[in-house]
Amino acid sequence: MTMLYFDFNATTPMSHKSKMAIQDVLDQFANPSSRYRLSNHLITLIHQAKESVSQLVGGLPERIIFTSGGTESNNLALHSVFGQLPAGQLSRYHAICSAIEHSSILEPLRWYQKQGLKLTIIEPSKTGRIDLDTLCNAITPQTCFIALMAINNETGVIQPYDELAYRLKGKGIHLHCDAIQAVGKWPIRCFDDIPLTISFSGHKFYAPKGVGGLYYSQQVKIYPLLHGGGQEQGLRSGTENTLGIAGLAAAAEEANEKLIQRFDYCREMRVYLLTQLDKLGVNYHLNGETNPEYQAPWTLNISFPGIRAEALASRLDLCHGISVSLGSACSNNSQTPQRSHVLLAMQSPHSYIDSALRISFGHVTEWKAINVLANALQQETQHLLSISGEQKI
């Protein structure tokens, strides 16, 4: 059975160029912090990698810190704000975030809230987008931090982070943008005239797992999470993951060259998949934005009324070799199954949440795979509805 992958928001396969870049440095084993010529190539590699990534995120290379990935980058951004505040005085400060942020933003903020931080969580519209007027109306004189992601990982809804950055000019409020689902796939703008951090993760755009980074503007003072060896200008201690960084740089160069081409390809695929489902008479409901300007085309959060998503995903996997997600891959690590916090925040009916699949693809997805997916969805939704007594076939 041919395995077909439709969970690119969870992770992507490494590109050939990324693999070759890693292979080229497999024998370069020296520690980049060492002071002999054997390390020189790796020191140069790290500097060049920051140049490549900076072109992708639109910032200065010296303001990029390499990390182990998105979760560490998000926590480092939060720690750089709240870790520097006077002990026992968090109650004097206020933070704002959206209800649809990734758990690596929401959980640390809730922890700080337990320590006294005042926290306002902004609910999205029913299509999953944050209203900036609502968010900005929540700003108080004590507000020191706002988190708004670039693109939601479950729905693919594009958030107005760049417009928010304009509104925050001159206010001195730190804006953090979780751009993990955007960098490498969507144009990201850096703003150096406000306190700003932007997180990204390599394995979301065809680089290896275990490497990512954090961009910080000149108005941000990074407060390290990890102390010790003093790597990354003392901002992130730990011997650099040179293999991962090499692969990340190669993937960043590819993404920068082909960003628009890949975006257009995914947009065409999205339209084609929905057209095929309509032709096949599949009953579905899209969770997310209907305005394509606000919707990442590579992500479909789609409900199949009357069907349990777990059953549908299982049958797609076992009977057709098709991999799809029930939502965020990280949420699958929860000890107890929980409804999507994103869809709940969007006030989606429980029947839609319980029947929702996240289908995501990339530029390496083939057209014939879309046909196989559409036909499999038609076959399995009919089968599951028939055994539930809701539809006869």
Side-chain angles (χ1 to χ4, degrees):
M1 180 187 298
T2 301
M3 304 300 289
L4 299 177
Y5 185 70
F6 287 96
D7 198 15
F8 281 69
N9 280 17
T11 194
T12 57
M14 270 198 292
S15 71
H16 177 73
K17 187 173 180 180
S18 182
K19 291 178 183 177
M20 292 301 100
I22 292 171
Q23 185 171 313
D24 287 345
V25 296
L26 277 175
D27 292 329
Q28 302 289 331
F29 62 87
N31 191 317
S33 298
S34 298
R35 301 293 183 183
Y36 35 70
R37 286 181 297 165
L38 197 61
S39 300
N40 289 347
H41 176 74
L42 294 173
I43 296 170
T44 301
L45 181 151
I46 293 169
H47 289 315
Q48 290 177 342
K50 292 192 176 186
E51 290 280 354
S52 298
V53 174
S54 70
Q55 293 176 25
L56 192 59
V57 300
L60 297 173
E62 59 266 28
R63 298 203 167 275
I64 290 173
I65 303 168
F66 286 135
T67 68
S68 62
T71 294
E72 182 188 340
S73 296
N74 283 339
N75 276 265
L76 177 57
L78 290 163
H79 187 64
S80 293
V81 176
F82 301 111
Q84 299 187 67
L85 298 180
Q89 297 189 29
L90 272 175
S91 60
R92 297 172 53 189
Y93 298 90
H94 174 243
I96 301 171
C97 74
S98 80
I100 58 173
E101 297 298 311
H102 190 269
S103 57
S104 59
I105 292 290
L106 288 171
E107 290 188 17
L109 279 175
R110 285 175 177 142
W111 185 86
Y112 285 117
Q113 185 181 28
K114 291 178 181 177
Q115 312 310 309
L117 176 71
K118 295 180 177 68
L119 177 64
T120 299
I121 299 178
I122 304 298
E123 302 292 328
S125 69
K126 290 186 178 181
T127 59
R129 189 168 159 87
I130 295 298
D131 178 73
L132 279 190
D133 289 337
T134 302
L135 189 153
C136 290
N137 286 340
I139 294 175
T140 74
Q142 290 74 42
T143 303
C144 64
F145 177 86
I146 298 176
L148 182 63
M149 65 196 336
I151 300 177
N152 183 261
N153 53 303
E154 291 193 32
T155 63
V157 175
I158 299 165
Q159 304 300 325
Y161 114 89
D162 49 354
E163 186 181 342
L164 176 59
Y166 281 117
R167 294 199 190 188
L168 292 180
K169 287 184 179 180
K171 295 184 182 296
I173 298 173
H174 184 126
L175 172 61
H176 176 64
C177 177
D178 173 349
I180 290 164
Q181 291 293 341
V183 170
K185 298 182 284 188
W186 177 263
I188 286 291
R189 294 190 62 187
C190 288
F191 300 84
D192 259 331
D193 49 0
I194 66 168
L196 172 70
T197 46
I198 298 175
S199 54
F200 60 91
S201 184
H203 75 103
K204 304 296 187 180
F205 59 96
Y206 308 95
K209 297 173 182 63
V211 64
L214 183 73
Y215 167 82
Y216 64 102
S217 70
Q218 60 183 355
Q219 297 192 33
V220 172
K221 181 181 179 182
I222 295 295
Y223 191 63
L225 269 176
L226 304 176
H227 302 269
Q231 290 84 356
E232 294 294 276
Q233 300 88 49
L235 302 178
R236 199 275 184 181
S237 291
T239 302
E240 294 91 343
N241 174 9
T242 50
L243 295 179
I245 290 170
L248 176 68
E253 291 167 8
E254 282 187 299
N256 198 41
E257 293 169 5
K258 302 174 181 178
L259 200 69
I260 303 303
Q261 176 187 336
R262 291 177 176 181
F263 180 88
D264 289 343
Y265 183 77
C266 289
R267 181 172 55 189
E268 292 171 5
M269 282 207 153
R270 177 189 182 89
V271 171
Y272 182 71
L273 173 57
L274 293 176
T275 299
Q276 293 304 107
L277 292 178
D278 290 337
K279 285 182 178 179
L280 291 167
V282 177
N283 183 26
Y284 66 86
H285 171 81
L286 282 177
N287 305 303
E289 268 289 346
T290 54
N291 184 345
E293 182 181 351
Y294 303 143
Q295 179 65 51
W298 53 83
T299 305
L300 292 94
N301 192 298
I302 185 167
S303 296
F304 300 91
I307 290 172
R308 292 291 301 187
E310 299 95 327
L312 180 55
S314 180
R315 287 194 62 84
L316 288 173
D317 185 16
L318 298 175
C319 302
H320 303 271
I322 294 173
S323 300
V324 296
S325 174
L326 301 179
S328 169
C330 299
S331 66
N332 293 333
N333 294 321
S334 175
Q335 296 296 316
T336 56
Q338 298 177 341
R339 288 190 171 101
S340 161
H341 76 280
V342 173
L343 297 184
L344 284 171
M346 291 165 58
Q347 300 179 46
S348 297
H350 287 182
S351 60
Y352 282 177
I353 300 175
D354 294 343
S355 64
L357 295 182
R358 183 185 68 182
I359 298 169
S360 51
F361 40 79
H363 70 278
V364 297
T365 306
E366 297 181 352
W367 289 102
K368 62 182 180 181
I370 297 291
N371 285 321
V372 173
L373 173 62
N375 286 316
L377 284 169
Q378 190 262 354
Q379 178 182 331
E380 295 306 333
T381 53
Q382 281 196 350
H383 172 75
L384 291 169
L385 287 170
S386 71
I387 62 176
S388 69
E390 295 200 21
Q391 178 175 313
K392 294 182 179 180
I393 57 172

